[in-house]
Amino acid sequence: MAEYVYCNGTLVRADEAHVGIYDHGFLYGDGVFEGIRAYNGGVFRLTEHVRRLYRSAHALSIRLPMEQDEFRAAIIETVKANNMQSCYIRVSVSRGTGLGLDPEQIHNDPTIIISTRQLRLYPQAMYDEGLDVITASTRVPPAVCIDPQIKSLGRYINNILAKMEANRVGAGEALMLNMAGNVAEATGDNLFLVRDGALITPPTSEGALVGITREAVMKLAADLGVPVSEKVVTLYDCYTSDETFLTGTAAEVIPMVRLDSRAIGSGKPGPITHAIIDAFRRCTATECEPVYA
Ligand code: PXG
């Protein structure tokens, strides 16, 4: 069956979709994106993802030519056109097309692409055994320079470099520090640590994206009676935590059991991590917006 892509207002065959060579996303990373997930014919946190997309676009003064409910409908139509039940949905938006930095000199007609893909997840063994992680030497840009709340295309060069550092030594992920040397997040996931039965995660001012999975986990933890706080996290805090895990749309909730050759806690996924993984799976199984209703 042909793969379909939403491309600037219409569904077209993926092999016929194209983006101009002067697209500002391609030329300058001048755009925003979302990675969304569908589970068993339902989209997880669709409203929250589209809201974050619109906030990211607004912060960059990119005006989307439709209301959020129409955008949500376009995402659902794309999933339907590909007859997908469970998939990764990539939404990419750029400012428009034209050579030169000046937005006044380009067609401010945002490029909008929505595509669906089967997921390439971490193997189950990594969820059972936990990830071996390193600290990357590549830093996150200061929040006062590039705000991490904007899920912008251009910000990811450093995340890619940090991921390459992890790949080079066979680690599953890399933690990224901010300019003060505090932990911001992993390359494509947020970080939580467990200390004395409570969860701690770095605030966005430390350079972390306001992850949708992070928000879901914070609420699930509260429901389980596990206190959660946003606090500055140092490498010492990670090395000496009882448990640590990462959260993201693609990885969901994944335990992290080693950091820079030090075992975290027992060196095995801990009980709170297991409880959060179970609660998150229940959440994705029951709280999705139906596509085929
Ligand atoms: N931090 C960063 C820097 C991310 O990019 C997360 C945390 C987790 O956020 P969510 O909202 O997913 O819980 C992300 C996630 C892609 C892609 O190509 C998307 C992400 C990461 C890597 C690749 O769609 N976003």
Side-chain angles (χ1 to χ4, degrees):
M1 195 186 110
E3 182 185 336
Y4 288 92
V5 174
Y6 176 98
C7 184
N8 301 323
T10 45
L11 282 164
V12 297
R13 285 173 61 114
D15 53 7
E16 285 165 8
H18 73 272
V19 173
I21 60 168
Y22 294 123
D23 186 90
H24 256 221
F26 181 59
L27 291 189
Y28 306 113
D30 184 10
V32 295
F33 74 104
E34 281 296 321
I36 313 174
R37 194 108 174 233
Y39 293 90
N40 299 313
V43 182
F44 186 62
R45 297 291 194 267
L46 179 59
T47 304
E48 288 82 351
H49 278 286
V50 171
R51 189 185 300 138
R52 184 170 69 181
L53 180 79
Y54 272 67
R55 284 181 178 160
S56 295
H58 183 65
L60 296 185
S61 209
I62 294 173
R63 207 147 52 81
L64 287 155
M66 60 182 112
E67 299 297 328
Q68 292 190 31
D69 56 350
E70 293 170 70
F71 208 105
R72 288 197 297 272
I75 291 171
I76 286 185
E77 283 316 307
T78 311
V79 176
K80 265 191 193 157
N82 290 297
N83 209 14
M84 290 283 194
Q85 293 294 324
S86 298
C87 63
Y88 193 71
I89 305 161
R90 182 50 139 82
V91 177
S92 313
V93 171
S94 86
R95 188 181 303 279
T97 305
L99 184 57
L101 286 183
D102 187 354
E104 288 189 5
Q105 302 299 323
I106 69 166
H107 298 287
N108 281 286
D109 193 6
T111 304
I112 303 172
I113 305 286
I114 306 169
S115 60
T116 58
R117 269 286 143 106
Q118 291 297 346
L119 275 174
R120 193 169 61 86
L121 291 170
Y122 284 118
Q124 184 58 38
M126 290 202 175
Y127 291 88
D128 298 337
E129 288 156 27
L131 290 179
D132 190 348
V133 174
I134 59 150
T135 303
S137 61
T138 311
R139 303 290 176 107
V140 296
V144 291
C145 294
I146 300 184
D147 196 314
Q149 293 173 100
I150 306 172
K151 198 164 163 58
S152 61
L153 297 172
R155 185 173 184 271
Y156 279 80
I157 48 172
N158 274 18
N159 300 52
I160 291 166
L161 290 173
K163 186 72 182 172
M164 285 160 67
E165 290 187 55
N167 290 346
R168 205 156 60 221
V169 295
E173 247 296 1
L175 293 193
M176 299 184 73
L177 308 178
N178 59 26
M179 294 307 289
N182 299 319
V183 180
E185 57 182 345
T187 65
D189 297 295
N190 289 109
L191 169 100
F192 283 84
L193 51 89
V194 179
R195 183 181 287 279
D196 300 330
L199 289 187
I200 301 170
T201 190
T204 191
S205 54
E206 291 295 302
L209 178 77
V210 186
I212 306 277
T213 320
R214 175 183 181 272
E215 302 267 286
V217 161
M218 288 167 93
K219 184 171 176 304
L220 291 170
D223 293 348
L224 291 170
V226 176
V228 191
S229 57
E230 293 183 73
K231 277 194 198 143
V232 169
V233 169
T234 64
L235 281 175
Y236 171 87
D237 296 331
C238 296
Y239 296 146
T240 61
S241 66
D242 301 325
E243 305 174 32
T244 303
F245 58 85
L246 304 176
T247 65
T249 296
E252 305 180 307
V253 179
I254 189 158
M256 168 176 146
V257 294
R258 287 182 80 75
L259 176 60
D260 301 332
S261 304
R262 289 128 170 120
I264 293 173
S266 66
K268 295 204 163 58
I272 292 186
T273 303
H274 277 305
I276 297 285
I277 290 174
D278 291 347
F280 187 73
R281 293 212 167 134
R282 278 196 300 277
C283 184
T284 57
T286 55
E287 293 185 19
C288 288
E289 189 161 321
V291 172
Y292 301 96

